[in-house]
Amino acid sequence: IGGGNSLGEPIPVGEAEEHITGVVLVNDWSARDFQRFEYQPLGPFLAKSFATTISPWIVTLDALEPFRIDGCRQDPEPLEHLRMPPGSRCHYDLVLEVSIQTQRMSRPQVVSRTNARHLYWSFAQQIAHATSNGCNMEMGDLYATGTISGPEEGSFGSLLELTWRGSKPIRMEETGEERTFLEDGDTVAITGYGQGDGYRVGFGTLVNTVSGNVL
C-alpha cells in the first residue's frame, strides 16, 4: 500500500488502485499439521503465523498496464461497494509457477502453473472490501490475495490442493521421490511475470528451503 486512508473512511472501489504502490509475490507458509489440529474451532492460526516471504521486486501497476484484462463474470452480482466501473479491466494476465527441488535433485521441477487471471476478486475489490467497515490502511501495509488456483489440477496453487489433501502424491521425475507435503531440505521457488511481444515484466524469484531447525 502506498497512500492509506483515515480510520472510518472506506476506499471506493474505483479509487482503490490509486492506493497501491506495487505488487509482489507472497508465500504465506502453511503448517498443515498444525492447521489440522487447530482449524476447528480456531481456523488457521499458528499454522499461518510463523513465516511469510515475498519476491525481491515491487512491480508498479504502471509496469503491469500492458497485461490488464477483464476479469471473470461474477455471479451473483457483487454488492454495490464492489462493483467495478464499466471498462475498468482490473485483472491481470500474469503467469505464475511453483517448483520444488529435493536434496537429491539436480534441478527443480515445476509442480504448478497458474495465472493471476484466475483471481475472482480483483486487487481493487479486495482493498475496497477490506476498508468498507472503516478499517484504515497505512503506507507499507502488505495485503495478500490468497491462493491463486486455476481450473485444472496442474494449476492448483498449494500442495494441499495439488495432492488432494495428501491422497495423490506428486512424483519427482528425476529421482522418483514422492511428495504430499514439503519435507526438510526441500527448496520451493515461486516465479511470476507478464509476457509481452518480445518483452517480459517479472517479479524475480522467491526461493526458500525448508529447515526443520526453523519450522
Side-chain angles (χ1 to χ4, degrees):
I1 296 297
N5 59 306
S6 299
L7 185 65
E9 295 184 5
I11 297 176
V13 68
E15 301 174 11
E17 288 191 356
E18 299 173 14
H19 295 262
I20 299 176
T21 294
V23 184
V24 296
L25 305 178
V26 173
N27 186 358
D28 61 330
W29 294 81
S30 302
R32 300 300 187 189
D33 49 353
F34 292 0
Q35 183 173 317
R36 185 180 297 135
F37 159 74
E38 69 183 8
Y39 83 101
Q40 292 180 330
L42 297 174
F45 190 54
L46 294 179
K48 282 285 190 180
S49 67
F50 65 95
T52 297
T53 51
I54 64 174
S55 53
W57 300 107
I58 300 175
V59 181
T60 66
L61 293 189
D62 286 343
L64 298 179
E65 192 67 24
F67 312 111
R68 278 188 180 273
I69 57 172
D70 293 322
C72 63
R73 179 173 176 268
Q74 294 183 324
D75 185 18
E77 184 179 18
L79 296 176
E80 186 174 354
H81 74 287
L82 295 176
R83 295 174 192 168
M84 295 298 303
S88 57
R89 294 172 63 85
C90 58
H91 284 71
Y92 294 87
D93 179 10
L94 301 173
V95 177
L96 302 167
E97 293 185 348
V98 181
S99 66
I100 295 175
Q101 183 174 355
T102 72
Q103 291 179 300
R104 292 171 52 195
M105 296 167 63
S106 62
R107 60 187 182 279
Q109 176 177 318
V110 175
V111 296
S112 175
R113 288 187 175 91
T114 184
N115 194 296
R117 68 167 59 242
H118 298 306
L119 278 174
Y120 188 83
W121 301 106
S122 68
F123 303 154
Q125 287 175 312
Q126 293 188 43
I127 289 174
H129 188 64
T131 63
S132 63
N133 67 347
C135 175
N136 63 311
M137 295 183 173
E138 297 180 349
M139 182 180 295
D141 284 351
L142 176 68
Y143 283 80
T145 63
T147 305
I148 302 178
S149 294
E152 293 120 13
E153 287 190 26
S155 64
F156 297 161
S158 72
L159 279 178
L160 187 69
E161 297 169 90
L162 286 167
T163 66
W164 292 87
R165 294 183 178 271
S167 66
K168 297 173 64 174
I170 295 173
R171 187 175 185 274
M172 301 293 108
E173 297 172 358
E174 182 182 354
T175 62
E177 298 170 271
E178 292 186 340
R179 286 293 183 271
T180 52
F181 300 100
L182 296 173
E183 299 183 10
D184 287 354
D186 289 351
T187 297
V188 180
I190 302 176
T191 59
Y193 58 87
Q195 184 64 58
D197 185 10
Y199 69 94
R200 177 178 290 185
V201 177
F203 296 86
T205 304
L206 187 164
V207 184
N208 293 104
T209 300
V210 178
S211 170
N213 293 329
V214 176
L215 303 185

